[in-house]
Amino acid sequence: MKRTILTVLSFALATLAFAQGPGHQRTHIAHHPRVNQVNRRENRQERRITDQRKDGDLTKKQAHQDRRNLSEINQEKKDMRKQDNGHLTKADDKALNKQLDKNSKKIGN
């Protein structure tokens, strides 16, 4: 019985961790201005989602979806950085900002 309860609790905590989106991104990485700029935008969007959820402007389901979208953008950023020794190219930056623009318009709608 204890094992079952621990398994269920572990699964619940893992699910909650995933549902929180990308979390706080470092914004002062030396020699990575494009990465810092994208990280700042991700942080602002995460903060907007949290604030709108607290105010009741977003449903739990919508907040989860917005965070999932933000998490996918964050994963794409990580994949792009792996390809370019930790940097983002101008094309990567443009693509990520386009996605963040689209995501920003969806938050709260």
Side-chain angles (χ1 to χ4, degrees):
M1 182 71 164
K2 260 187 176 178
R3 180 176 268 172
T4 304
I5 291 172
L6 287 175
T7 303
V8 169
L9 286 174
S10 297
F11 179 74
L13 287 174
T15 303
L16 286 174
F18 174 75
Q20 293 301 314
H24 182 75
Q25 304 294 309
R26 289 181 42 219
T27 57
H28 300 292
I29 304 170
H31 310 295
H32 296 276
R34 291 186 188 109
V35 175
N36 292 333
Q37 185 267 336
V38 170
N39 286 349
R40 279 191 297 274
R41 289 199 66 194
E42 288 178 345
N43 288 341
R44 281 194 301 268
Q45 287 187 17
E46 178 67 34
R47 206 169 22 249
R48 280 179 51 212
I49 294 167
T50 300
D51 291 344
Q52 288 185 17
R53 178 70 184 117
K54 284 180 185 175
D55 293 343
D57 296 335
L58 277 180
T59 64
K60 187 176 182 178
K61 182 178 179 181
Q62 184 61 43
H64 179 72
Q65 181 61 45
D66 290 341
R67 284 191 175 106
R68 184 181 302 144
N69 293 341
L70 200 52
S71 215
E72 289 171 4
I73 293 168
N74 190 50
Q75 184 59 50
E76 187 170 350
K77 177 189 69 181
K78 287 178 182 179
D79 295 341
M80 289 173 170
R81 289 185 68 194
K82 281 181 186 178
Q83 294 174 356
D84 294 303
N85 298 321
H87 295 274
L88 290 174
T89 66
K90 286 183 182 181
D92 293 342
D93 185 54
K94 186 175 181 178
L96 288 170
N97 275 301
K98 186 174 181 179
Q99 290 177 28
L100 286 166
D101 289 344
K102 186 176 178 182
N103 194 56
S104 181
K105 290 176 184 175
K106 287 182 181 179
I107 294 173
N109 290 329

